[in-house]
Amino acid sequence: MDYKSLINTSEVPSHVAIIMDGNGRWAKKHNKPRIFGHKNGVLSVRSVVEGAGEIGLKYLTLYAFSTENWKRPKIEIAALMQLLVVTISNEVTALNKNGVRLLTIGDLKSLPGNCERELRKAMDKTKNNKGLTLVLALSYSSKSEIINAVKKIATEVSENKLSIEGINDQMFNNYLDTSDIDDPELLIRTSGECRLSNFLLWQIAYSELYFTDKFWPDFTKDDLFKAVVSYQKRERRFGMTSEQLSS
Ligand code: IPE
Ligand code: IPE
Ligand code: MG
């Protein structure tokens, strides 16, 4: 099925976020070690980034490593971090060629030094690109992000830089890691799991959720297009009635 041709190009979401899940189970299905799944997951990242550019997304956020993932076996974490360093340094040229700007959310400082350095270098090298913004969530926890925002706001209130009445929904956004990024209209999770795993809890208050049974290494740009087609069939009512939207 050619899902790309079914996309209404005038109503493409500006931000799609993806929980890339199922690398381990995909590897197991192929009788391979988990890291083999992660390596093949990188190919899916490449395809989806390409696809996002093709349909003109402004932002693509990929959940690559959660704060909770630090609880995994040390050997898997080390392999994932190594894969991250190698992938980032290999992909920078392609990112630049395609006008992709790289950003990260999460606690970069908690990553191994070489990962943090490679990421900062890549962000710097791509900072002037005007195409897709690729946001990698690394060592990310939505609850920590929200708590950090609350701490910054509380500090400003205690220093009389901000009044309690000045705290509202819009300004709260400015204290999150995603302050410069529109909220995702569409959130995709692969591998059949129907949970959020501490991802963008504030930002997805009104996002459309799309779950697919495909494991991440089997997910390609065509699956992204399919999800966008499904998104475009939905009616986003934001609390109103269907009649109100059509009048
Ligand atoms: C997602 O795949 C990648 C990361 C969380 C880093 P998993 O590694 O969670 O794969 P499953 O869920 O065990 O199959
Ligand atoms: C969520 O996947 C995090 C990422 C995709 C990076 P997990 O595989 O860690 O999620 P849980 O623990 O099964 O909910
Ligand atoms: Mg998983």
Side-chain angles (χ1 to χ4, degrees):
M1 189 81 168
D2 177 18
Y3 288 101
K4 195 178 172 188
S5 66
L6 298 178
I7 294 176
N8 173 355
T9 49
S10 62
E11 273 173 48
V12 171
S14 76
H15 183 179
V16 175
I18 308 183
I19 302 174
M20 311 184 286
D21 198 14
N23 294 352
R25 280 163 286 164
W26 183 90
K28 197 166 184 186
K29 202 176 90 184
H30 292 86
N31 293 313
K32 299 276 194 202
R34 293 180 58 85
I35 190 66
F36 182 72
H38 297 313
K39 282 185 178 153
N40 276 274
V42 174
L43 306 179
S44 296
V45 170
R46 201 178 286 148
S47 173
V48 166
V49 169
E50 237 176 66
E54 286 172 27
I55 57 170
L57 292 191
K58 268 167 73 181
Y59 300 99
L60 174 70
T61 298
L62 300 178
Y63 202 5
F65 194 84
S66 72
T67 304
E68 289 75 18
N69 289 146
W70 290 115
K71 291 185 265 186
R72 290 197 178 187
K74 284 208 164 44
I75 181 142
E76 179 171 347
I77 296 176
L80 273 169
M81 294 301 151
Q82 184 55 26
L83 186 61
L84 180 66
V85 173
V86 172
T87 305
I88 295 294
S89 70
N90 283 346
E91 296 295 322
V92 175
T93 316
L95 293 179
N96 272 329
K97 197 169 132 243
N98 297 317
V100 180
R101 176 173 70 130
L102 182 72
L103 292 181
T104 60
I105 55 174
D107 184 17
L108 269 203
K109 289 191 296 298
S110 67
L111 298 177
N114 60 337
C115 282
E116 190 189 350
R117 271 192 303 280
E118 208 57 58
L119 282 160
R120 292 201 190 282
K121 223 162 64 188
M123 285 193 274
D124 191 56
K125 283 186 180 158
T126 61
K127 66 172 188 263
N128 295 320
N129 291 342
K130 298 283 182 277
L132 172 77
T133 296
L134 171 63
V135 185
L136 291 184
L138 286 163
S139 195
Y140 176 83
S141 147
S142 181
K143 283 192 175 181
S144 306
E145 182 190 28
I146 293 170
I147 295 290
N148 286 337
V150 170
K151 284 182 183 166
K152 286 182 231 161
I153 291 171
T155 307
E156 290 187 19
V157 169
S158 74
E159 291 170 351
N160 290 319
K161 290 178 183 152
L162 185 69
S163 71
I164 290 186
E165 293 68 35
I167 302 174
N168 60 43
D169 177 337
Q170 272 81 39
M171 64 75 80
F172 195 82
N173 267 317
N174 301 333
Y175 292 81
L176 296 170
D177 292 3
T178 51
S179 57
D180 299 323
I181 303 169
D182 306 335
D183 287 343
E185 291 95 333
L186 173 62
L187 173 82
I188 299 170
R189 182 170 188 147
T190 60
S191 87
E193 307 296 357
C194 299
R195 55 176 172 260
L196 298 173
S197 306
N198 205 1
F199 189 46
L200 300 179
L201 302 179
W202 173 276
Q203 296 88 340
I204 59 165
Y206 253 110
S207 305
E208 295 298 327
L209 309 182
Y210 179 93
F211 298 102
T212 166
D213 285 339
K214 276 205 177 178
F215 293 137
W216 178 249
D218 287 330
F219 194 92
T220 65
K221 58 170 130 175
D222 289 319
D223 297 293
L224 170 70
F225 301 153
K226 185 176 176 188
V228 170
V229 170
S230 158
Y231 160 84
Q232 290 187 329
K233 288 195 183 126
R234 302 184 190 183
E235 182 178 58
R236 306 188 74 205
R237 290 190 284 279
F238 300 101
M240 290 179 282
T241 67
S242 196
E243 291 71 24
Q244 281 177 300
L245 294 172
S246 53
S247 67

